[in-house]
Amino acid sequence: MCGYLAIQFRTVAPTHKALSGNALQPLIPVRAFYANLGDNWNYSPSHDGSMIAWYAYSWAQKVINIRRMDEDAPFIVIPAQNIDLFTWSAYDQTLLVHMDGRQWRVDPMNPEREEWVDVTPRGFNHSWAITTPRSPEELVVVSSNDRNPAFSDLYTVRQDGGGKQLLAQNTGNILQWWLDANNVPILRLDREEDGASQLMTRSSNEDSWRPLIKIDRRDNFTPIGVPRPGEAFYAASDRGRDRLALVSVDPQSGTETEIVASSSETLTGAWLFSPWEHRPDMLLMGDAGTSFVPLTQNGETARQLLMKDAGSVAAEFVNYAAQGRFVVVARSLQTQPYENFLYDFQRKTATKLGENPLAAYANDLPRKVSLSFKARDGMDIPAYLVLPTGVRAFSLPAVVMIHGEPAERFEPGFDVESAFLANRGYAVLQVDFRGSTGHGRPHQEAGYGQVGKAMQDDIVDAAHWLIEEGIADPKAIAVMGGSYGGYSAALAMTRDPGLFKAAIVESAVLDVPYQMQNNPFAWGLNRDEAERYFGNPENPADLKAMEAVSPQTQVNEVQDAILLLAGKDDPIVGFEQSEEFARSLNAGGKSVEAVFFEGEGHTISSLPNRITRARLIEDFLAEHLGGRSSGFDLAEWYGRWIE
């Protein structure tokens, strides 16, 4: 046993001069970040708050625990290896469980598998519920793209899954519908031929649709909440503004009235504490999404509970009890690991729902700092800096991290990836390059048409900023990202060879013309945003420009090492791009390690593969940048039994 434990905890010491010999914080095992069997997640209260259910592990197997709210231990444990998700019914004490492509109703008091009732909507190949019924008799509205994968129609079904009836048929240009409390579509968004959108409205099924608002292709406008016939509705809008605001919209004229707007803060989230709410209970504002603006009494209670402790707070909405009294919120205090709390709005109390297993390492986890740096053209680029603890922030090995989409952003709270890398000894800079969301309209629009150009300059400028600030060793900087971030990481090795000594390229677009000509057909009417950034694949000039910024066409420029990761079942960016890139790198004698995961999609989701991925990353960076690695971890052995 002693010999086995010695293997389990064997570590690879850092070789970089800024780390070796220094008092780094204890090395946190890979399994603590990526395969923690003490983890608990997706807490969900029943409709009346009398019970709560959540995912956990029991003997390395995923389960659903259910306990009564006034008890400490679960009274029911349901095996959940193949359960994709679960929700509570909105009006009784039963669970709706999605497993193996079907939906089941489960009575927690009689949870044996043979007692489950199949309530899958009948007559569909693909469907998903978009309404929450309030009584056993109420129909469920489901959306289905069976008729055409590019757009969806609406149907009603009984809650036992039968009685399929067409509710609204898509004319081929409808992006989305919004339904009132009686399941009548009274708002819809149509795509116009010029790329703009038209918001249509009506008051009842008997009314004809009429145009209400013309939305420019570069505007962001999304109704929020359940609209009421003939009444003003709420929306997030940046029409005529630099930043996203909450507005109310007159249903007759389409006139917007600002409810919450700011010239310095943008709307980054809206929380509704019941599926039938007309207006949001609370807004998240600010570039970092850490300013909380209540709009209802429950929203004010939630704000007070969130801000009860001093310091910076980031939060994520997890689940609600449908009646609106209870919600579950995950809170990251001082950028530390998220903790789940049950908020009771009647009693105005917050109850912690179990301990986050990473709390055991609280003293050893890094902090995240929000900052900005100047790009070469003078533009301010927001970023988050995460530094290893126990060493001076001078001439460290560093990783520039790039998010995906590209219409996305890094979050202000704790994230596993940056904490994992910082614990291995790396300074991590997460860059919200131009084109990212959450920082106002001008920042996002500055990225349109700038893939491989100014957007890529921001990544290079991030590395130079780390060097100029003395934080990073110019001979030990890596670049890392997935999806669009993987594209940008690969391009950094071809367009600016020699700056980055290593790259982690994951699920990456590597041949831009190929990707834009083969985007998922199911994107259908929603390809416009990708074209804003990359260009129009039907335009020969745009295609030529895409080819010029494709890593696949510049393989010969690569000088340093690349770790290439992809899932073989990726439906968004086919792994054939990674396969071709690896083949070209190998043919050119370049340093590449390519690992393709069976059964994985656009992200690596199974815990055994997440462990393997993390171990590949820490060993790769240790070899090329000189940080430390955990070596063999027990999780590599028990991982095969986790899922």
Side-chain angles (χ1 to χ4, degrees), residues 145 147-152 170 172 174-175 520-527:
N145 62 355
R147 189 168 62 90
N148 189 312
F151 49 79
S152 297
N170 202 313
I174 300 173
L175 295 165
F521 189 66
W523 286 8
L525 302 172
N526 296 292
R527 294 192 300 265

Side-chain angles (χ1 to χ4, degrees), residues 165-186:
Q165 295 286 333
L166 180 67
L167 175 63
Q169 183 166 298
N170 202 313
T171 55
N173 68 326
I174 300 173
L175 295 165
Q176 192 173 353
W177 283 276
W178 287 265
L179 283 62
D180 68 11
N182 295 314
N183 291 341
V184 176
I186 61 172

Side-chain angles (χ1 to χ4, degrees), residues 47 371 518 540:
H47 77 288
L371 54 84
N518 293 277

Side-chain angles (χ1 to χ4, degrees), residues 101-102 181 266 278 339 342 372 380 407 451 478 518 539 580 592 628:
R102 304 200 68 77
T266 194
H278 176 56
E339 298 280 1
L342 178 74
S372 67
D380 287 321
V451 167
N518 293 277
N539 183 319
E580 286 298 317
V592 59
R628 57 184 179 170

Side-chain angles (χ1 to χ4, degrees), residues 1 23 48 148 158 161 188 219 244 303 387 483 573 603 630:
M1 179 63 70
D48 60 357
N148 189 312
R158 298 190 306 267
R188 82 178 197 211
D219 287 339
L244 205 61
R303 187 195 68 81
L387 296 171
S483 193
V573 181
T603 57
S630 63

Side-chain angles (χ1 to χ4, degrees), residues 509 511-519 523 527 530-532 534-537 543 546 577:
V509 175
D511 184 335
V512 180
Y514 176 87
Q515 177 67 33
M516 291 301 292
Q517 291 174 322
N518 293 277
N519 276 324
W523 286 8
R527 294 192 300 265
E531 293 180 6
R532 295 179 196 177
F534 290 92
N536 184 349
L543 273 178
M546 292 179 206
Q577 292 187 54

